[in-house]
């Protein structure tokens, strides 16, 4: 059967089908997404070879440090979450609660939560309300109120198939044509530039300041904004990723105020990507919603018309449930007629995955103090958090030992983004292969160690600088020593 299908595909290609690389949507071809690019493809090929017993490679495992995919790298799911989900997927299990308790260790609060969710959604196999199930939006609103100390309205909340789906929705609404522009931080998560490419809209980059722990420089943003406007770009929004991806930086209250000042003065929609809000090692996470509400109280009138869309996800934090595709965004200060169009847009896709929605509810409403599942939840949650912090600093300390490598101390998110200074001979060798120097370095690292990272050029970086992004999700720290050894040998080879 496989041979027949392959033969048919080959024949179709040789016969000249309707589609070819020259006549498909050019904006799809123009889009770039480095975290799943050439390096990731090659790493997967190496993984398959090892699984098939290939002994020719100089390493015995592949470390996918290229993408924030925690459970691929052995992060265990939170038991309470998965137990509730199992009952939602197979409600007949609820017919024998005693067996659940005695044979499988399910606590009563697991059973109660599953029943409460099923009473609202009825079945995870059925469509929900296009904005998301009401019971879940109510839980998210309560979570936001408790986090920020300001009210949240469930009607302003849209559950999504992961934060990426929310980003796509927002940019589709905001961008009205080729002249529309969005300010995007550089370095940035390539979802934003890729989506803008698909929409044939303009990315207006603004550089984060590495020497200021990857903070924002509002004056530099103003300059970039002015240049874009002078060139005819209608700049409509600014994206902020906090804590940062790929930088791992957490923005201060003052940095956030600077962005909101700019948004108020220039009538910019603020898209606050806050999916790493629980991954904070230094200081505290401050949401854009909280800071906006504080400023609206402190300076009446100035910030009244700021439009803010903030996003969160089950994919990151200590939850790490990327595959379940759950998330949400909240609209603040949007014209009701625009919000109606957002609702129409999400309705076209019917609804986000209902099981992912339920996982959002569990994330924002975990077992409370005194409830039977709380102790295990806290143990698992804190264990994941402490492990991430330990590995982050182990990696940071390793970079401190490496020649020509500088790295900001870990603040948050799941990544480090070190600067690398390579010898001229290495840069020349990269040019001979028609590659960026950091890409050349990362490919050599993968070939020698099985560790897959992403070159800084995939995220954007200041001219004449080189970086790479690595996660610190992989268990243990022995793979870190692989990087140290490789780097020493690489630098010696090209001196």
């Amino acid at each position: 059967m496989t041979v027949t299908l392959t033969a048919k595909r080959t024949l179709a290609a040789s016969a000249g089908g309707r589609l070819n690389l020259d006549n498909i949507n050019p904006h799809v071809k123009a889009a770039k997404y480095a975290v799943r690019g050439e390096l990731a493809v090659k790493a997967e090929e190496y993984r398959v070879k090892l699984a098939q017993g290939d002994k020719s490679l100089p390493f015995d495992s592949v470390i996918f440090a290229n993408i924030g995919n925690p459970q691929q790298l052995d992060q265990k799911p939170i038991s309470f979450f998965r137990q509730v989900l199992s009952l939602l997927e197979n409600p007949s299990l609820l017919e024998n609660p005693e067996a659940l308790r005695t044979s499988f260790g399910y606590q009563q609060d697991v059973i109660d939560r599953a029943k409460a969710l099923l009473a609202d959604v009825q079945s995870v196999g059925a469509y929900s309300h296009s904005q998301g199930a009401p019971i879940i939006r109510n839980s998210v609103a309560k979570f936001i109120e408790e986090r920020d100390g300001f009210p949240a309205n469930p009607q302003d909340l849209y559950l999504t198939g992961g934060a990426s789906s929310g980003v796509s929705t927002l940019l589709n609404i905001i961008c009205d044509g080729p002249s529309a522009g969005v300010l995007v931080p550089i370095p940035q998560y390539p979802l934003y530039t890729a989506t803008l490419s698909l929409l044939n809209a303009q990315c207006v980059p603004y550089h984060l300041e590495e020497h200021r722990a990857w903070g924002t420089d509002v004056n530099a943003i103003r300059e970039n904004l002015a240049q874009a406007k002078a060139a005819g770009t209608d700049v409509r929004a600014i994206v902020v990723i906090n804590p940062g991806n790929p930088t791992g930086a957490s923005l201060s209250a003052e940095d956030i105020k600077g962005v909101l000042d700019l948004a108020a003065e220039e009538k910019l929609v603020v898209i606050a990507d806050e999916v790493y809000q629980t991954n904070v090692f230094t200081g505290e996470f401050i949401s854009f919603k909280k800071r906006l509400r504080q400023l609206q109280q402190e300076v009446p009138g100035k910030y009244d018309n700021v439009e803010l869309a903030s996003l969160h996800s089950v994919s990151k934090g200590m939850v790490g449930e990327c595959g379940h595709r759950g998330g949400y965004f909240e609209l603040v200060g949007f014209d009701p007629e625009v919000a109606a169009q957002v609702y129409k847009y999400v309705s076209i896709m019917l609804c986000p995955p209902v099981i992912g929605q339920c996982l959002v509810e569990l994330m924002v409403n975990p077992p409370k103090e005194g409830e039977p599942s709380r102790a295990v939840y806290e143990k698992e949650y804190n264990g994941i958090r402490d492990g991430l912090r330990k590995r982050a600093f182990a990696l940071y300390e390793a970079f401190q030992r490496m020649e020509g490598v500088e790295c900001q101390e870990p603040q948050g998110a799941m990544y480090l983004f070190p600067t690398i200074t390579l010898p001229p001979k290495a840069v020349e060798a990269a040019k001979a292969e028609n590659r960026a120097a950091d890409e050349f370095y990362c490919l050599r690292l993968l070939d020698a160690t099985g560790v897959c990272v992403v070159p800084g050029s995939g995220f954007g970086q200041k001219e004449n600088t080189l970086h790479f992004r690595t996660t610190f999700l992989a268990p243990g720290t022995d793979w870190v020593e692989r990087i140290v050894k490789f780097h020493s040998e690489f630098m010696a080879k090209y001196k």
Side-chain angles (χ1 to χ4, degrees):
M1 183 66 178
T2 305
V3 175
T4 307
L5 287 172
T6 304
K8 283 182 179 176
R9 287 193 192 102
T10 306
L11 284 169
S14 61
R18 183 67 182 88
L19 295 178
N20 59 62
L21 198 57
D22 294 325
N23 69 10
I24 63 170
N25 186 336
H27 309 307
V28 173
K29 289 192 294 180
K32 294 180 173 61
Y33 194 68
V35 294
R36 287 185 182 265
E38 180 187 1
L39 277 142
V41 171
K42 195 171 189 182
E44 177 60 16
E45 290 172 357
Y46 284 153
R47 186 197 66 78
V48 171
K49 281 186 176 182
L50 290 172
Q52 292 172 343
D54 191 320
K55 304 291 186 185
S56 65
L57 298 172
F59 45 84
D60 58 8
S61 64
V62 174
I63 303 295
F64 288 92
N66 60 306
I67 193 165
N69 194 12
Q71 293 187 24
Q72 183 193 40
L73 295 167
D74 294 338
Q75 180 171 308
K76 301 299 180 222
I78 301 285
S79 297
F80 178 79
F81 297 171
R82 286 298 185 89
Q83 287 173 349
V84 174
L85 295 186
S86 71
L87 300 180
L88 298 177
E89 290 281 13
N90 189 4
S92 62
L93 295 173
L94 290 167
E95 294 169 10
N96 195 342
E98 191 56 34
L100 290 173
R101 284 189 290 265
T102 57
S103 299
F104 299 101
Y106 284 31
Q107 300 287 354
Q108 186 60 43
D109 55 348
V110 171
I111 295 168
D112 293 343
R113 184 68 63 88
K115 286 181 176 178
L117 285 166
L118 285 168
D120 187 76
V121 303
Q122 297 182 5
S123 168
V124 295
Y127 292 132
S128 74
H129 188 285
S130 292
Q131 259 181 270
I135 189 176
I136 299 171
R137 283 186 283 133
N138 287 337
S139 284
V140 174
K142 288 177 185 173
F143 160 78
I144 293 170
E145 288 179 9
E146 290 172 5
R147 183 194 69 189
D148 296 341
F150 294 95
N153 185 347
Q155 298 305 314
D156 296 331
L157 291 163
Y158 298 74
L159 301 182
T160 59
S164 303
S165 170
V167 168
S168 177
T169 295
L170 292 165
L171 291 179
N172 268 277
I173 296 294
I174 290 166
C175 298
D176 69 337
S179 65
V182 176
L183 284 155
V184 175
I186 299 298
Q188 55 93 38
Y189 177 48
L191 166 67
Y192 292 94
T193 46
T195 305
L196 289 169
S197 288
L198 294 175
L199 293 170
N200 193 26
Q202 304 300 313
C203 171
V204 180
Y206 68 91
H207 286 283
L208 300 175
E209 299 301 315
E210 187 167 6
H211 65 280
R212 292 180 56 240
W214 295 111
T216 55
D217 180 345
V218 174
N219 289 329
I221 299 175
R222 288 182 194 280
E223 288 178 16
N224 290 19
L225 175 60
Q227 289 172 8
K229 288 165 73 175
T233 301
D234 176 18
V235 183
R236 297 174 153 227
I238 180 169
V239 172
V240 187
I241 308 173
N242 179 45
N245 177 8
T247 64
S250 289
L251 294 183
S252 67
E254 196 56 32
D255 274 342
I256 295 171
K257 178 182 180 296
V259 173
L260 292 172
D261 284 342
L262 182 67
E265 293 160 18
E266 297 288 344
K267 293 192 183 314
L268 298 175
V269 178
V270 179
I271 301 175
D273 183 333
E274 298 176 335
V275 301
Y276 297 100
Q277 60 188 259
T278 58
N279 294 110
V280 176
F281 307 128
T282 304
E284 62 172 336
F285 167 73
I286 303 168
S287 77
F288 267 75
K289 165 87 174 290
K290 179 177 182 176
R291 195 72 186 101
L292 175 61
R293 291 299 191 226
Q294 289 173 338
L295 291 168
Q296 286 172 336
Q297 286 183 342
E298 293 165 13
V299 190
K302 178 176 178 180
Y303 302 93
D304 287 358
N305 295 319
V306 171
E307 297 147 292
L308 168 67
S310 51
L311 302 113
H312 195 15
S313 167
V314 301
S315 297
K316 311 303 177 185
M318 272 44 78
V319 184
E321 293 277 8
C322 304
H324 272 110
R325 310 312 297 136
Y328 71 80
F329 63 84
E330 181 185 19
L331 298 183
V332 175
F334 276 65
D335 182 326
E337 292 186 353
V338 173
Q341 296 302 310
V342 175
Y343 176 71
K344 180 177 73 176
Y345 184 91
V346 299
S347 297
I348 293 169
M349 301 301 168
L350 298 172
C351 73
V354 176
I355 199 73
Q357 293 183 45
C358 292
L359 194 47
V360 170
E361 201 280 335
L362 300 172
M363 174 182 73
V364 301
N365 185 23
K368 294 180 172 55
E369 291 290 344
E371 294 182 343
S373 295
R374 179 69 184 189
V376 171
Y377 169 81
E378 280 193 334
K379 181 182 177 183
E380 293 175 343
Y381 186 96
N382 294 339
I384 294 167
R385 183 195 61 200
D386 295 345
L388 286 171
R389 190 180 193 284
K390 180 181 177 182
R391 293 195 296 277
F393 278 90
L395 195 54
Y396 169 68
E397 287 160 11
F399 290 150
Q400 301 291 88
R401 292 186 273 134
M402 289 163 54
E403 178 189 356
V405 176
E406 295 178 21
C407 187
Q408 299 293 321
E409 187 172 318
Q411 287 186 299
M414 296 176 169
Y415 315 102
L416 292 180
F417 196 64
T419 297
I420 50 174
T421 302
L422 300 180
K425 286 183 180 178
V427 177
E428 289 166 15
K431 283 181 182 174
E433 290 189 13
N434 197 29
R435 292 190 182 279
D438 49 6
E439 181 186 14
F440 176 82
Y441 175 90
C442 293
L443 278 164
R444 294 294 178 274
L445 172 66
L446 175 61
D447 291 341
T449 68
V451 178
C452 182
V453 299
V454 188
S457 49
F459 301 96
Q461 54 197 345
K462 283 189 175 178
E463 197 173 348
N464 299 320
T465 68
L466 301 171
H467 300 79
F468 65 86
R469 187 194 78 168
T470 177
T471 73
F472 38 80
L473 294 167
T477 54
D478 61 312
W479 60 276
V480 176
E481 293 306 317
R482 294 191 212 175
I483 299 176
V484 175
K485 180 174 182 290
F486 160 80
H487 184 79
S488 175
E489 293 169 353
F490 181 92
M491 296 297 278
K493 178 178 179 179
Y494 289 102
K495 267 190 174 171

